[in-house]
Amino acid sequence: MADNSEDEGIHFRAIRRGALAIVGGIVFAVGGSWWLLHILGPAANTAQPPAAIPAPRLQPAPQQDSAAYFAEKQKRLDSTGWVDRGAGIAHIPLDEAMRLEAARQQKEAKP
């Protein structure tokens, strides 16, 4: 039988290599960043500053438009009409649609 005692335990050499690889990556990243900022930075920073962004145009009294919008939507919910007459699609009041659907479900439930 082979002795597997060497396979068990902590492999310090592998840990040391991994730690050195991590430290090397950090040193490379910091050095590369320093090089980009100090060597290429002044040459690459020749762009003009962005133009001033104009202030947004806001409504002075949006309550009136909001009330008119919701009144229009409520009128649509409470009325009947065509959505697409050619396709035969219409809209009906929500209460009526719920009543018709409940009646249909009740009719299907009866044997």
Side-chain angles (χ1 to χ4, degrees):
M1 278 188 113
D3 187 13
N4 290 336
S5 62
E6 291 181 15
D7 292 339
E8 298 174 7
I10 298 174
H11 297 280
F12 290 108
R13 184 174 292 162
I15 293 172
R16 192 173 338 153
R17 286 182 185 159
L20 287 175
I22 291 171
V23 168
I26 292 171
V27 168
F28 179 77
V30 169
S33 298
W34 178 86
W35 181 73
L36 286 172
L37 288 173
H38 289 89
I39 304 300
L40 296 179
N45 195 13
T46 59
Q48 297 293 327
I53 298 172
R57 296 183 299 150
L58 302 175
Q59 289 178 307
Q63 295 83 1
Q64 295 170 348
D65 288 342
S66 178
Y69 172 79
F70 286 116
E72 177 187 336
K73 295 301 175 188
Q74 190 62 44
K75 180 181 173 188
R76 168 97 180 194
L77 283 174
D78 295 338
S79 67
T80 58
W82 288 106
V83 174
D84 186 355
R85 186 180 288 244
I89 301 171
H91 68 86
I92 62 174
L94 186 58
D95 291 338
E96 180 68 15
M98 289 174 26
R99 187 185 63 72
L100 290 172
E101 181 62 21
R104 187 182 68 82
Q105 292 289 330
Q106 190 177 30
K107 188 177 183 181
E108 287 180 2
K110 289 183 181 178

XYZ file of all heavy atoms in Angstrom:
840
model
N 0.821 -1.183 0.000
C 0.000 0.000 0.000
C 0.864 1.245 0.000
O 1.857 1.312 0.697
C -0.888 0.026 1.239
C -2.133 -0.798 1.106
S -3.179 -0.508 2.509
C -4.493 0.278 1.729
N 0.417 2.213 -0.741
C 1.167 3.465 -0.808
C 0.777 4.333 0.367
O -0.359 4.345 0.813
C 0.883 4.176 -2.113
N 1.740 5.078 0.844
C 1.506 5.990 1.967
C 1.027 7.332 1.416
O 1.744 7.983 0.669
C 2.803 6.148 2.766
C 2.568 6.942 4.033
O 1.394 7.147 4.397
O 3.568 7.350 4.650
N -0.211 7.758 1.749
C -0.795 9.000 1.247
C -0.604 10.157 2.214
O -1.283 11.157 2.113
C -2.292 8.818 0.974
C -2.532 7.910 -0.217
O -1.675 7.776 -1.070
N -3.690 7.278 -0.256
N 0.312 10.035 3.146
C 0.498 11.093 4.127
C 1.032 12.369 3.490
O 0.847 13.449 4.027
C 1.426 10.625 5.246
O 2.706 10.324 4.708
N 1.726 12.234 2.348
C 2.245 13.429 1.680
C 1.127 14.242 1.030
O 1.236 15.438 0.876
C 3.273 13.022 0.631
C 4.548 12.473 1.225
C 5.533 12.105 0.137
O 5.330 12.528 -1.012
O 6.493 11.406 0.445
N 0.029 13.593 0.616
C -1.069 14.293 -0.029
C -1.934 15.054 0.965
O -2.686 15.930 0.583
C -1.951 13.306 -0.795
C -1.217 12.731 -1.996
O -0.239 13.358 -2.443
O -1.618 11.658 -2.465
N -1.857 14.720 2.208
C -2.649 15.386 3.225
C -1.837 16.515 3.842
O -0.628 16.474 3.894
C -3.070 14.395 4.298
C -3.945 13.292 3.759
C -4.250 12.228 4.800
O -3.891 12.434 5.971
O -4.838 11.220 4.441
N -2.510 17.530 4.332
C -1.826 18.626 4.989
C -1.832 19.887 4.152
O -2.431 19.962 3.085
N -1.124 20.858 4.632
C -1.087 22.167 3.996
C 0.109 22.228 3.061
O 1.229 21.867 3.430
C -0.985 23.276 5.063
C -2.219 23.229 5.959
C -0.842 24.636 4.414
C -2.154 24.181 7.121
N -0.124 22.696 1.851
C 0.956 22.838 0.865
C 1.412 24.293 0.873
O 0.870 25.131 0.174
C 0.449 22.427 -0.528
C 0.043 20.994 -0.613
N 0.951 19.980 -0.757
C -1.179 20.407 -0.532
C 0.315 18.825 -0.785
N -0.985 19.056 -0.641
N 2.424 24.559 1.664
C 2.905 25.931 1.827
C 3.487 26.494 0.536
O 3.358 27.689 0.270
C 3.948 26.005 2.953
C 3.353 25.803 4.309
C 3.570 24.633 5.017
C 2.565 26.781 4.877
C 3.018 24.447 6.258
C 2.010 26.602 6.125
C 2.232 25.428 6.821
N 4.096 25.667 -0.269
C 4.678 26.146 -1.522
C 3.571 26.657 -2.453
O 3.719 27.709 -3.075
C 5.466 25.026 -2.189
C 6.173 25.488 -3.445
C 7.058 24.435 -4.024
N 8.180 24.228 -3.111
C 8.959 23.155 -3.127
N 8.743 22.201 -3.992
N 9.957 23.049 -2.286
N 2.433 25.960 -2.540
C 1.331 26.388 -3.393
C 0.704 27.670 -2.847
O 0.325 28.569 -3.614
C 0.284 25.286 -3.494
N 0.588 27.777 -1.530
C 0.034 28.989 -0.924
C 0.939 30.175 -1.205
O 0.478 31.267 -1.547
C -0.185 28.792 0.587
C -1.291 27.760 0.813
C -0.516 30.100 1.276
C -1.459 27.349 2.254
N 2.242 29.969 -1.099
C 3.206 31.038 -1.349
C 3.133 31.484 -2.810
O 3.145 32.675 -3.104
C 4.613 30.559 -1.006
C 5.637 31.662 -0.961
C 6.979 31.192 -0.455
N 6.790 29.968 0.331
C 7.709 29.022 0.486
N 8.886 29.161 -0.042
N 7.466 27.943 1.169
N 3.036 30.523 -3.753
C 2.923 30.890 -5.169
C 1.644 31.682 -5.438
O 1.657 32.659 -6.188
C 2.930 29.641 -6.033
C 4.272 29.009 -6.149
C 4.209 27.808 -7.050
N 5.486 27.103 -7.072
C 5.644 25.839 -7.419
N 4.580 25.137 -7.777
N 6.824 25.291 -7.412
N 0.536 31.256 -4.832
C -0.726 31.971 -5.021
C -0.665 33.382 -4.466
O -1.143 34.338 -5.098
N -0.077 33.531 -3.281
C 0.046 34.858 -2.676
C 0.933 35.760 -3.525
O 0.633 36.940 -3.722
C 0.593 34.743 -1.256
N 2.031 35.227 -4.033
C 2.916 36.020 -4.897
C 2.212 36.419 -6.190
O 2.418 37.533 -6.693
C 4.201 35.252 -5.191
C 5.191 35.153 -4.020
C 6.365 34.255 -4.397
C 5.682 36.523 -3.614
N 1.378 35.536 -6.724
C 0.632 35.879 -7.945
C -0.352 37.008 -7.669
O -0.494 37.931 -8.475
C -0.091 34.642 -8.472
N -1.018 36.966 -6.529
C -1.971 38.030 -6.175
C -1.238 39.351 -5.983
O -1.647 40.390 -6.496
C -2.775 37.637 -4.918
C -3.718 36.488 -5.260
C -3.539 38.827 -4.359
C -4.409 35.878 -4.054
N -0.135 39.327 -5.232
C 0.642 40.550 -5.002
C 1.185 41.078 -6.323
O 1.160 42.287 -6.580
C 1.772 40.291 -3.979
C 2.757 41.448 -3.937
C 1.190 40.028 -2.604
N 1.660 40.198 -7.191
C 2.160 40.628 -8.501
C 1.064 41.282 -9.330
O 1.305 42.290 -10.004
N -0.155 40.745 -9.294
C -1.273 41.346 -10.017
C -1.615 42.727 -9.492
O -1.899 43.644 -10.260
N -1.578 42.872 -8.171
C -1.861 44.176 -7.574
C -0.796 45.186 -7.963
O -1.103 46.327 -8.336
C -2.000 44.049 -6.037
C -3.263 43.251 -5.692
C -2.023 45.415 -5.377
C -3.375 42.885 -4.226
N 0.460 44.789 -7.889
C 1.559 45.686 -8.272
C 1.440 46.074 -9.746
O 1.615 47.241 -10.109
C 2.926 45.033 -7.965
C 4.064 45.805 -8.615
C 3.129 44.923 -6.468
N 1.106 45.131 -10.593
C 0.949 45.419 -12.017
C -0.193 46.404 -12.248
O -0.063 47.344 -13.041
C 0.700 44.118 -12.789
C 0.495 44.323 -14.256
C 1.578 44.578 -15.096
C -0.781 44.274 -14.802
C 1.389 44.774 -16.455
C -0.975 44.469 -16.159
C 0.108 44.716 -16.990
N -1.328 46.213 -11.564
C -2.476 47.107 -11.733
C -2.159 48.515 -11.252
O -2.493 49.502 -11.916
C -3.692 46.552 -10.989
N -1.511 48.633 -10.103
C -1.170 49.957 -9.573
C -0.144 50.635 -10.480
O -0.264 51.825 -10.795
C -0.653 49.842 -8.120
C -0.044 51.144 -7.640
C -1.779 49.399 -7.195
N 0.860 49.893 -10.921
C 1.870 50.467 -11.824
C 1.265 50.896 -13.146
O 1.577 51.968 -13.672
N 0.397 50.079 -13.704
C -0.257 50.440 -14.960
C -1.144 51.661 -14.814
O -1.181 52.523 -15.689
N -1.850 51.748 -13.701
C -2.693 52.923 -13.450
C -1.842 54.172 -13.314
O -2.185 55.231 -13.849
C -3.521 52.724 -12.181
O -4.382 51.624 -12.330
N -0.747 54.076 -12.587
C 0.148 55.229 -12.416
C 0.675 55.664 -13.784
O 0.699 56.853 -14.091
C 1.310 54.873 -11.494
C 2.270 56.010 -11.331
C 2.201 57.032 -10.447
C 3.438 56.255 -12.129
N 3.243 57.894 -10.623
C 4.019 57.447 -11.658
C 4.038 55.586 -13.183
C 5.180 57.966 -12.210
C 5.191 56.107 -13.731
C 5.744 57.307 -13.240
N 1.084 54.694 -14.602
C 1.629 55.019 -15.915
C 0.577 55.711 -16.776
O 0.868 56.711 -17.435
C 2.120 53.735 -16.595
C 2.724 53.975 -17.940
C 3.937 54.539 -18.217
C 2.137 53.671 -19.194
N 4.142 54.603 -19.559
C 3.042 54.072 -20.197
C 0.936 53.108 -19.571
C 2.776 53.914 -21.540
C 0.677 52.942 -20.921
C 1.592 53.350 -21.885
N -0.663 55.198 -16.777
C -1.712 55.813 -17.582
C -2.036 57.226 -17.117
O -2.256 58.129 -17.930
C -2.992 54.957 -17.543
C -2.941 53.664 -18.360
C -4.184 52.832 -18.085
C -2.825 53.965 -19.833
N -2.066 57.435 -15.809
C -2.418 58.754 -15.292
C -1.303 59.783 -15.466
O -1.561 60.941 -15.792
C -2.788 58.656 -13.810
C -4.132 57.988 -13.508
C -4.304 57.800 -12.015
C -5.270 58.813 -14.072
N -0.079 59.394 -15.257
C 1.030 60.362 -15.281
C 1.706 60.507 -16.636
O 2.233 61.570 -16.944
C 2.068 59.996 -14.214
C 1.566 60.253 -12.834
N 0.878 59.293 -12.119
C 1.604 61.353 -12.045
C 0.548 59.790 -10.947
N 0.958 61.045 -10.870
N 1.714 59.488 -17.429
C 2.367 59.568 -18.730
C 1.363 59.959 -19.815
O 1.587 60.887 -20.586
C 3.046 58.216 -19.090
C 4.034 57.807 -18.006
C 3.701 58.297 -20.463
C 5.162 58.777 -17.769
N 0.236 59.267 -19.859
C -0.748 59.536 -20.899
C -1.783 60.575 -20.468
O -2.475 61.129 -21.308
C -1.484 58.238 -21.281
C -0.626 57.150 -21.908
C -1.481 55.923 -22.196
C 0.033 57.634 -23.181
N -1.916 60.830 -19.204
C -2.942 61.730 -18.686
C -2.904 63.122 -19.277
O -3.899 63.586 -19.829
N -1.803 63.842 -19.195
C -1.776 65.206 -19.735
C -2.023 65.247 -21.248
O -2.690 66.141 -21.748
C -0.372 65.708 -19.409
C 0.079 64.868 -18.264
C -0.574 63.540 -18.464
N -1.527 64.291 -21.994
C -1.716 64.287 -23.447
C -3.147 63.939 -23.820
O -3.684 64.443 -24.796
C -0.749 63.284 -24.087
N -3.782 63.084 -23.044
C -5.139 62.650 -23.367
C -6.196 63.616 -22.848
O -7.347 63.523 -23.217
C -5.377 61.260 -22.780
N -5.822 64.562 -22.008
C -6.777 65.466 -21.392
C -6.846 66.793 -22.155
O -6.701 67.859 -21.588
C -6.413 65.700 -19.929
C -7.554 66.330 -19.157
O -8.672 66.377 -19.634
N -7.250 66.827 -17.977
N -7.068 66.724 -23.463
C -7.138 67.943 -24.275
C -8.566 68.271 -24.693
O -8.777 69.223 -25.428
C -6.281 67.784 -25.537
O -6.763 66.663 -26.274
C -4.812 67.606 -25.182
N -9.539 67.505 -24.240
C -10.936 67.724 -24.634
C -11.472 68.986 -23.981
O -11.075 69.383 -22.888
C -11.782 66.525 -24.236
N -12.403 69.612 -24.671
C -13.051 70.805 -24.144
C -14.052 70.391 -23.074
O -14.637 69.318 -23.148
C -13.781 71.542 -25.273
C -12.864 72.045 -26.371
C -11.947 73.143 -25.853
O -12.328 73.909 -24.983
N -10.738 73.199 -26.381
N -14.271 71.233 -22.087
C -15.283 70.886 -21.076
C -16.666 70.853 -21.714
O -16.919 71.546 -22.702
C -15.171 72.018 -20.046
C -14.505 73.132 -20.762
C -13.637 72.506 -21.819
N -17.570 70.022 -21.193
C -18.899 69.920 -21.794
C -19.669 71.234 -21.681
O -19.477 72.012 -20.744
C -19.586 68.816 -20.979
C -18.824 68.759 -19.696
C -17.420 69.178 -20.022
N -20.509 71.494 -22.668
C -21.335 72.709 -22.663
C -22.348 72.622 -21.524
O -22.709 71.542 -21.072
C -22.056 72.857 -23.998
N -22.782 73.765 -21.071
C -23.756 73.799 -19.980
C -25.066 73.163 -20.438
O -25.530 73.392 -21.555
C -24.000 75.235 -19.535
N -25.634 72.360 -19.584
C -26.891 71.686 -19.883
C -28.028 72.624 -19.500
O -28.064 73.128 -18.380
C -26.987 70.365 -19.108
C -25.855 69.438 -19.529
C -28.333 69.701 -19.326
C -25.731 68.189 -18.701
N -28.972 72.859 -20.419
C -30.066 73.775 -20.079
C -30.986 73.164 -19.020
O -31.124 71.941 -18.924
C -30.806 73.953 -21.405
C -30.458 72.752 -22.202
C -29.076 72.350 -21.775
N -31.596 74.017 -18.245
C -32.507 73.562 -17.201
C -33.764 72.981 -17.841
O -34.193 73.433 -18.901
C -32.877 74.720 -16.284
N -34.372 71.973 -17.218
C -35.583 71.399 -17.794
C -36.754 72.381 -17.728
O -36.848 73.188 -16.805
C -35.853 70.173 -16.909
C -35.172 70.472 -15.632
C -33.984 71.317 -15.975
N -37.613 72.301 -18.733
C -38.806 73.150 -18.751
C -39.913 72.405 -18.018
O -40.335 71.341 -18.441
C -39.215 73.469 -20.176
C -38.152 74.301 -20.894
C -38.584 74.674 -22.290
N -38.793 73.451 -23.086
C -39.661 73.356 -24.079
N -40.405 74.389 -24.409
N -39.791 72.248 -24.752
N -40.379 72.945 -16.920
C -41.410 72.322 -16.110
C -42.726 73.065 -16.259
O -42.751 74.266 -16.506
C -40.983 72.302 -14.641
C -39.673 71.582 -14.332
C -39.323 71.738 -12.866
C -39.774 70.125 -14.706
N -43.820 72.338 -16.071
C -45.132 72.964 -16.117
C -45.341 73.764 -14.839
O -45.035 73.292 -13.749
C -46.232 71.910 -16.202
C -46.303 71.198 -17.519
C -47.397 70.147 -17.485
O -47.415 69.320 -16.606
N -48.289 70.213 -18.462
N -45.887 74.965 -14.950
C -46.130 75.753 -13.739
C -47.266 75.191 -12.892
O -47.246 75.296 -11.676
C -46.467 77.150 -14.257
C -46.852 76.957 -15.681
C -46.164 75.718 -16.166
N -48.288 74.553 -13.529
C -49.425 74.005 -12.787
C -49.841 72.679 -13.430
O -50.785 72.638 -14.230
C -50.586 74.989 -12.779
N -49.180 71.578 -13.113
C -49.506 70.299 -13.752
C -50.810 69.683 -13.237
O -51.295 68.730 -13.822
C -48.312 69.414 -13.402
C -47.780 69.979 -12.134
C -48.027 71.457 -12.231
N -51.392 70.232 -12.183
C -52.610 69.657 -11.621
C -53.759 69.681 -12.626
O -54.554 68.733 -12.694
C -53.030 70.400 -10.335
C -52.051 70.272 -9.195
C -50.892 71.265 -9.291
O -50.822 72.068 -10.216
N -49.971 71.183 -8.340
N -53.876 70.743 -13.409
C -54.963 70.853 -14.387
C -54.819 69.780 -15.473
O -55.794 69.114 -15.832
C -54.983 72.243 -15.013
C -55.316 73.344 -14.027
C -55.083 74.722 -14.618
O -54.479 74.861 -15.669
N -55.579 75.751 -13.927
N -53.623 69.612 -15.998
C -53.402 68.592 -17.021
C -53.622 67.197 -16.453
O -54.180 66.321 -17.124
C -51.983 68.693 -17.583
C -51.799 69.909 -18.472
O -52.820 70.474 -18.919
O -50.640 70.294 -18.706
N -53.192 66.980 -15.234
C -53.376 65.685 -14.594
C -54.858 65.384 -14.398
O -55.318 64.269 -14.672
C -52.644 65.667 -13.245
O -52.844 64.451 -12.593
N -55.622 66.346 -13.945
C -57.061 66.142 -13.747
C -57.750 65.851 -15.074
O -58.613 64.967 -15.160
C -57.673 67.375 -13.078
N -57.383 66.578 -16.128
C -57.983 66.346 -17.442
C -57.620 64.955 -17.967
O -58.470 64.248 -18.534
C -57.519 67.418 -18.432
N -56.398 64.521 -17.754
C -55.952 63.196 -18.191
C -56.757 62.097 -17.497
O -57.257 61.179 -18.143
C -54.454 63.043 -17.910
C -53.928 61.656 -18.155
C -53.648 61.216 -19.441
C -53.711 60.779 -17.107
C -53.166 59.939 -19.675
C -53.236 59.501 -17.327
C -52.962 59.083 -18.609
O -52.492 57.819 -18.835
N -56.878 62.187 -16.166
C -57.607 61.157 -15.438
C -59.102 61.193 -15.744
O -59.753 60.153 -15.769
C -57.340 61.273 -13.941
C -55.964 60.795 -13.569
C -55.038 61.668 -13.041
C -55.589 59.477 -13.762
C -53.763 61.240 -12.704
C -54.323 59.033 -13.440
C -53.401 59.913 -12.901
N -59.669 62.358 -16.008
C -61.075 62.441 -16.402
C -61.297 61.757 -17.746
O -62.293 61.038 -17.935
C -61.513 63.900 -16.464
N -60.376 61.940 -18.677
C -60.466 61.288 -19.983
C -60.383 59.769 -19.833
O -61.152 59.030 -20.460
C -59.345 61.790 -20.891
C -59.302 61.130 -22.244
C -58.080 61.537 -23.056
O -57.527 62.619 -22.798
O -57.702 60.757 -23.938
N -59.478 59.292 -18.998
C -59.334 57.848 -18.787
C -60.568 57.263 -18.107
O -61.012 56.167 -18.443
C -58.078 57.539 -17.966
C -56.793 57.888 -18.666
C -56.675 57.145 -19.970
C -55.466 57.571 -20.753
N -55.437 56.990 -22.085
N -61.140 57.967 -17.143
C -62.347 57.492 -16.476
C -63.521 57.445 -17.455
O -64.313 56.499 -17.426
C -62.688 58.383 -15.275
C -63.789 57.823 -14.391
C -63.409 56.494 -13.765
O -62.306 56.309 -13.279
N -64.338 55.559 -13.773
N -63.617 58.432 -18.341
C -64.675 58.449 -19.350
C -64.554 57.229 -20.255
O -65.553 56.591 -20.593
C -64.594 59.745 -20.167
C -65.644 59.867 -21.226
C -65.479 61.160 -22.008
C -66.437 61.205 -23.185
N -66.176 62.340 -24.047
N -63.322 56.887 -20.619
C -63.085 55.706 -21.470
C -63.477 54.429 -20.738
O -64.057 53.516 -21.334
C -61.616 55.675 -21.879
C -61.142 54.413 -22.505
C -61.146 54.479 -23.971
N -60.665 53.189 -24.493
C -60.316 53.013 -25.702
N -60.356 54.018 -26.527
N -59.930 51.845 -26.115
N -63.192 54.333 -19.428
C -63.557 53.146 -18.649
C -65.068 52.991 -18.518
O -65.573 51.873 -18.418
C -62.931 53.214 -17.249
C -61.449 52.898 -17.134
C -60.971 53.147 -15.712
C -61.166 51.467 -17.550
N -65.792 54.087 -18.501
C -67.235 54.053 -18.264
C -68.058 54.029 -19.549
O -69.281 54.064 -19.484
C -67.655 55.270 -17.422
C -67.054 55.226 -16.027
O -66.694 54.128 -15.572
O -66.932 56.301 -15.402
N -67.419 53.988 -20.720
C -68.163 54.071 -21.972
C -67.937 52.817 -22.817
O -67.088 51.983 -22.512
C -67.727 55.311 -22.757
O -66.389 55.162 -23.180
N -68.717 52.718 -23.903
C -68.533 51.646 -24.878
C -68.082 52.281 -26.190
O -68.358 53.451 -26.460
C -69.847 50.877 -25.126
O -70.833 51.793 -25.585
C -70.328 50.200 -23.861
N -67.370 51.506 -26.983
C -66.907 52.024 -28.270
C -66.029 51.001 -28.958
O -65.701 49.946 -28.419
N -65.659 51.349 -30.172
C -64.799 50.463 -30.961
C -63.330 50.740 -30.698
O -62.903 51.882 -30.670
C -65.076 50.647 -32.447
C -66.389 50.088 -32.878
C -67.506 50.800 -33.186
C -66.720 48.716 -33.037
N -68.531 49.955 -33.518
C -68.069 48.652 -33.441
C -66.027 47.523 -32.871
C -68.718 47.452 -33.685
C -66.672 46.331 -33.119
C -68.008 46.302 -33.522
N -62.575 49.674 -30.544
C -61.121 49.767 -30.511
C -60.616 49.580 -31.937
O -59.800 50.362 -32.424
C -60.515 48.704 -29.561
C -59.000 48.706 -29.632
C -60.986 48.926 -28.140
N -61.111 48.530 -32.604
C -60.785 48.257 -34.009
C -62.029 47.665 -34.662
O -62.307 46.477 -34.520
C -59.601 47.294 -34.104
C -59.118 47.075 -35.525
O -59.763 47.592 -36.468
O -58.087 46.394 -35.702
N -62.779 48.508 -35.355
C -64.059 48.070 -35.935
C -63.831 46.972 -36.969
O -64.600 46.011 -37.044
C -64.779 49.250 -36.577
C -66.171 48.881 -37.076
C -66.841 50.081 -37.697
N -67.228 51.034 -36.691
C -68.480 51.367 -36.424
N -69.456 50.839 -37.126
N -68.740 52.239 -35.494
N -62.792 47.076 -37.767
C -62.506 46.077 -38.792
C -62.251 44.695 -38.208
O -62.634 43.680 -38.786
N -61.595 44.643 -37.063
C -61.301 43.359 -36.423
C -62.411 42.933 -35.475
O -62.361 41.845 -34.907
C -59.981 43.447 -35.672
N -63.403 43.815 -35.270
C -64.506 43.492 -34.381
C -64.149 43.570 -32.908
O -64.726 42.863 -32.086
N -63.213 44.445 -32.561
C -62.778 44.599 -31.167
C -63.398 45.868 -30.598
O -63.222 46.953 -31.150
C -61.243 44.667 -31.060
C -60.625 43.401 -31.643
C -60.815 44.864 -29.614
C -59.117 43.458 -31.776
N -64.118 45.712 -29.486
C -64.775 46.853 -28.846
C -64.367 46.907 -27.381
O -63.793 45.957 -26.848
C -66.287 46.715 -28.966
N -64.658 48.033 -26.741
C -64.425 48.132 -25.290
C -65.766 48.430 -24.629
O -66.635 49.091 -25.199
C -63.365 49.183 -24.945
C -63.773 50.597 -25.215
N -64.474 51.354 -24.317
C -63.587 51.390 -26.307
C -64.693 52.554 -24.823
N -64.166 52.602 -26.044
N -65.901 47.869 -23.420
C -67.125 48.067 -22.641
C -66.718 48.478 -21.240
O -65.556 48.290 -20.849
C -68.007 46.804 -22.620
C -67.276 45.639 -21.970
C -68.458 46.430 -24.031
C -68.140 44.394 -21.778
N -67.652 49.013 -20.441
C -67.309 49.394 -19.075
C -66.811 48.188 -18.261
O -67.245 47.053 -18.467
C -68.614 49.938 -18.499
C -69.396 50.388 -19.685
C -69.018 49.432 -20.776
N -65.910 48.437 -17.363
C -65.290 47.382 -16.585
C -66.310 46.605 -15.761
O -66.261 45.366 -15.701
C -64.208 47.982 -15.669
C -63.357 47.004 -14.885
C -62.640 46.052 -15.817
C -62.358 47.736 -14.019
N -67.257 47.289 -15.133
C -68.273 46.602 -14.334
C -69.092 45.646 -15.205
O -69.401 44.526 -14.788
C -69.200 47.615 -13.655
C -68.495 48.412 -12.575
O -67.462 47.923 -12.072
O -68.975 49.515 -12.236
N -69.430 46.078 -16.403
C -70.193 45.234 -17.318
C -69.375 44.018 -17.748
O -69.882 42.896 -17.814
C -70.625 46.047 -18.538
C -71.425 45.280 -19.559
C -72.815 44.882 -19.065
O -73.280 45.428 -18.060
O -73.420 44.002 -19.699
N -68.100 44.224 -18.029
C -67.225 43.115 -18.425
C -67.098 42.100 -17.289
O -67.132 40.888 -17.530
C -65.852 43.650 -18.814
N -66.978 42.574 -16.050
C -66.879 41.658 -14.914
C -68.187 40.884 -14.742
O -68.164 39.680 -14.443
C -66.511 42.429 -13.647
C -65.075 42.922 -13.679
S -64.498 43.983 -12.339
C -65.483 43.607 -10.972
N -69.332 41.541 -14.918
C -70.625 40.874 -14.784
C -70.774 39.800 -15.852
O -71.187 38.668 -15.572
C -71.765 41.886 -14.877
C -73.143 41.292 -14.574
C -74.264 42.295 -14.805
N -74.381 42.725 -16.193
C -74.854 41.954 -17.188
N -75.230 40.730 -16.966
N -74.931 42.455 -18.412
N -70.416 40.100 -17.104
C -70.510 39.127 -18.187
C -69.576 37.939 -17.966
O -69.946 36.780 -18.220
C -70.193 39.798 -19.529
C -71.231 40.787 -20.053
C -70.681 41.518 -21.280
C -72.532 40.075 -20.381
N -68.380 38.204 -17.503
C -67.417 37.125 -17.250
C -67.884 36.229 -16.109
O -67.765 35.000 -16.176
C -66.026 37.697 -16.952
C -64.955 36.660 -16.708
C -64.689 35.752 -17.903
O -65.016 36.115 -19.046
O -64.137 34.657 -17.684
N -68.452 36.814 -15.050
C -68.968 36.021 -13.942
C -70.125 35.141 -14.406
O -70.220 33.963 -14.028
C -69.404 36.926 -12.797
N -70.993 35.692 -15.246
C -72.101 34.901 -15.777
C -71.592 33.763 -16.651
O -72.108 32.640 -16.592
C -73.053 35.802 -16.569
N -70.578 34.020 -17.456
C -69.997 32.988 -18.311
C -69.359 31.886 -17.478
O -69.531 30.697 -17.749
C -68.953 33.588 -19.265
C -68.429 32.592 -20.299
C -67.374 33.222 -21.186
N -66.155 33.514 -20.477
C -65.185 32.617 -20.214
N -65.328 31.366 -20.590
N -64.105 32.975 -19.571
N -68.620 32.261 -16.437
C -67.989 31.272 -15.565
C -69.041 30.427 -14.852
O -68.886 29.215 -14.709
C -67.087 31.966 -14.529
C -65.855 32.618 -15.108
C -64.831 31.598 -15.582
O -64.738 30.506 -15.027
N -64.091 31.962 -16.600
N -70.116 31.062 -14.412
C -71.187 30.355 -13.728
C -71.884 29.395 -14.686
O -72.215 28.273 -14.320
C -72.183 31.352 -13.144
C -73.191 30.720 -12.208
C -74.111 31.769 -11.603
O -74.391 32.791 -12.218
N -74.549 31.514 -10.391
N -72.061 29.810 -15.921
C -72.705 28.960 -16.921
C -71.838 27.740 -17.234
O -72.351 26.641 -17.409
C -72.954 29.787 -18.185
C -73.772 29.096 -19.234
C -73.998 30.056 -20.403
C -74.877 29.426 -21.445
N -75.084 30.325 -22.598
N -70.505 27.922 -17.303
C -69.582 26.817 -17.586
C -69.495 25.856 -16.406
O -69.241 24.671 -16.595
C -68.189 27.349 -17.909
C -68.087 27.997 -19.262
C -66.681 28.518 -19.550
O -65.788 28.325 -18.707
O -66.495 29.115 -20.623
N -69.700 26.338 -15.189
C -69.576 25.489 -14.009
C -70.758 24.541 -13.877
O -70.644 23.463 -13.282
C -69.467 26.355 -12.760
N -71.918 24.890 -14.438
C -73.118 24.035 -14.365
C -72.957 22.888 -15.349
O -72.605 23.093 -16.502
C -74.374 24.834 -14.679
C -74.746 25.812 -13.603
C -76.030 26.504 -13.957
C -76.407 27.525 -12.888
N -77.618 28.242 -13.235
N -73.283 21.644 -14.904
C -73.163 20.481 -15.823
C -74.296 20.384 -16.810
O -75.328 20.811 -16.798
C -73.164 19.278 -14.908
C -73.630 19.740 -13.561
C -73.517 21.234 -13.547
